Amino acid sequence: MRIGELADRAGTTTRTLRYYESRGLLPARRGGNGYRTYDEADLRALRQIRTLQDFGFDLEETRPFVECLRAGHPEGDSCPASLAVYRSKLSELDALIDELTAVRAKVGAQLERAEQAVVALAAQEPAPRCELGPRQEEE
């Protein structure tokens, strides 16, 4: 298949495919007419890349998965290098979760402090009178 068809089937653009080619993730095969040619294995590799990127993997992190597919494995994550990337990504995600949990605790503590301050202030002072509302006429 040609580049436009591959882009359509993969849900991406020809520009993206050329970029992947320049990064060595997509083979640069050319037909006798000079056009780029691709096969189902290329489509499978692109789908693997897209799935991993949807999970937050950067493009370089997808390389071991693509290489695993190209080595003939039916799944791109059945090679030792792919498993190492999974482990690394999980470690990175765990660190982010820990960081977000700590930030959440701080924000929760600030909210609790602010709510207590509002309650304490309301107990000390009468509610302000709105001067802009409708006036009641005096008798």
Side-chain angles (χ1 to χ4, degrees), residues 10-88:
T12 191
T13 65
T14 57
R15 183 178 180 178
T16 298
L17 298 182
R18 285 187 206 99
Y19 178 68
Y20 290 171
E21 182 183 315
S22 74
R23 299 289 304 267
L25 292 169
L26 199 58
R29 293 185 306 267
R30 302 236 179 213
N33 56 9
Y35 293 130
R36 290 172 174 90
T37 61
Y38 302 96
D39 58 22
E40 293 299 318
D42 298 317
L43 179 60
R44 197 167 60 250
L46 285 172
R47 288 183 174 151
Q48 179 82 67
I49 291 168
R50 300 258 333 219
T51 298
L52 292 168
Q53 286 188 312
D54 288 347
F55 292 160
F57 289 68
D58 65 37
L59 190 58
E60 195 54 37
E61 288 173 320
T62 69
R63 186 174 302 281
F65 298 86
V66 172
E67 289 171 354
C68 189
L69 286 171
R70 297 245 181 262
H73 296 270
E75 300 293 327
D77 59 3
S78 59
C79 295
S82 302
L83 297 173
V85 172
Y86 272 153
R87 286 184 195 100
S88 174

Side-chain angles (χ1 to χ4, degrees), residues 107-117:
V107 170
Q110 286 295 102
L111 173 61
E112 186 177 333
R113 183 207 48 79
E115 287 175 336
Q116 290 173 356

Side-chain angles (χ1 to χ4, degrees), residues 6 9 45 51 65 81 89 102 128 132:
L6 180 63
R9 290 183 63 190
T51 298
F65 298 86
K89 183 56 77 174
L132 299 177

